[in-house]
Amino acid sequence: TDHLKPDPRYAGILVPFKKFPAFLDRIVAIWRVCSGGSSTQNLRTDNSVSSANILDGNIKKLVTTLFAWLDRVAESKPKYAGIVLSENLYFFYRTISARKVQFLDGLVQKAYNRFQTTADEYVIMSVEQYFKGFREFVDEVEILLKRTTHADVKFDKPRDELRRTINKVSKQSIATSVGQLKDRIKKHFKVESQLRPIISEKFVKFFCMKYSVLEMIARQCYDEKLSHTSEEVRRWLDDVFSDFALPVI
């Protein structure tokens, strides 16, 4: 893999990751022939535990090396690290978990956990890019509420700051920014990755969670009401991303 220098901006599923499932299938098939039809659940027979342990260890080392190489690819373009990591970690999780090779369960789970983290970071970064100041205002007020009352929040966060934040998430602003975000998701995540619906759903959940907190802040701290409820916003967003069919994970 070291001779491969993919550009994370346009990488998609990297060749070593794309080839690994078929490689694993061949190893499993060969092992089953050599071991008299042993199950792929653990690739062992009572008479071949030592050999199976060697096989397990070598494949685990190969996967660990693959993950380390992926990290180096991601580090070469930090701005796009979340994209290349998400696509390839999710591909590994999706394809290898389906094969139910028991000794890889730990690495499959590791890939899934890292995917969730990088995908969440991508969503947070997207909200910060397209709704500048929205998340920051909500988070700062939540921190304030841990040490002051709802009535006193407006002394640290003037009403004008609330209204500027509300303007950033008006219906028109949401429509414009989410349209741009949708195009960005399409650009970053190829159809084959099956990540477009997953990333969009993560965005919808995160955005609506923050919006509902903003509703509470406006009502309880400033005695103001937002023009639209979080339920209405959720319906708008679901409609925008309706052509991203969500697969079963």
Side-chain angles (χ1 to χ4, degrees), residues 124-140:
I124 292 171
M125 180 184 69
S126 298
V127 170
E128 291 174 346
Q129 179 175 344
Y130 290 99
F131 299 92
K132 295 185 186 299
F134 164 56
R135 184 182 75 93
E136 290 84 348
F137 177 81
V138 171
D139 289 352
E140 287 169 5

Side-chain angles (χ1 to χ4, degrees), residues 54-91:
I54 293 173
L55 178 65
D56 292 5
N58 286 337
I59 295 180
K60 285 180 180 178
K61 286 180 182 178
L62 177 61
V63 173
T64 300
T65 300
L66 198 59
F67 286 173
W69 174 76
L70 177 62
D71 285 336
R72 291 195 296 275
V73 171
E75 289 164 4
S76 70
K77 290 279 197 306
K79 181 179 178 180
Y80 301 93
I83 302 167
V84 70
L85 287 171
S86 294
E87 282 197 307
N88 287 277
L89 291 169
Y90 182 69
F91 177 81

Side-chain angles (χ1 to χ4, degrees), residues 92-103:
F92 181 89
Y93 160 75
R94 179 171 57 82
T95 58
I96 305 307
S97 63
R99 284 159 169 80
K100 303 185 185 302
V101 179
Q102 191 177 59
F103 68 82

Side-chain angles (χ1 to χ4, degrees), residues 127-157:
V127 170
E128 291 174 346
Q129 179 175 344
Y130 290 99
F131 299 92
K132 295 185 186 299
F134 164 56
R135 184 182 75 93
E136 290 84 348
F137 177 81
V138 171
D139 289 352
E140 287 169 5
V141 172
E142 284 191 296
I143 292 171
L144 275 175
L145 287 172
K146 293 179 180 179
R147 60 178 175 82
T148 192
T149 65
H150 289 81
D152 288 339
V153 163
K154 57 182 171 288
F155 296 115
D156 287 280
K157 292 288 185 183

Side-chain angles (χ1 to χ4, degrees), residues 11 18 23 25 29 38 53 69 77-78 112-115 117 128 139 153 156 173 175 185 187 195-196 210 219 223 246:
K18 192 175 291 187
F23 166 78
D25 288 343
S38 176
N53 284 338
W69 174 76
K77 290 279 197 306
Y112 182 72
N113 292 343
R114 287 199 63 199
F115 156 69
T117 299
E128 291 174 346
D139 289 352
V153 163
D156 287 280
S173 295
I185 291 173
K187 177 182 177 182
L195 279 180
R196 291 178 180 181
K210 292 298 179 182
R219 183 177 63 255
D223 195 26
L246 186 64

Side-chain angles (χ1 to χ4, degrees), residues 80 123 174 189 215 236:
Y80 301 93
V123 165
I174 290 175
F189 298 101
E215 275 189 294
W236 299 342

Side-chain angles (χ1 to χ4, degrees), residues 115-125 202:
F115 156 69
Q116 292 288 356
T117 299
T118 55
D120 288 343
E121 290 170 352
Y122 178 89
V123 165
I124 292 171
M125 180 184 69
K202 280 180 173 289

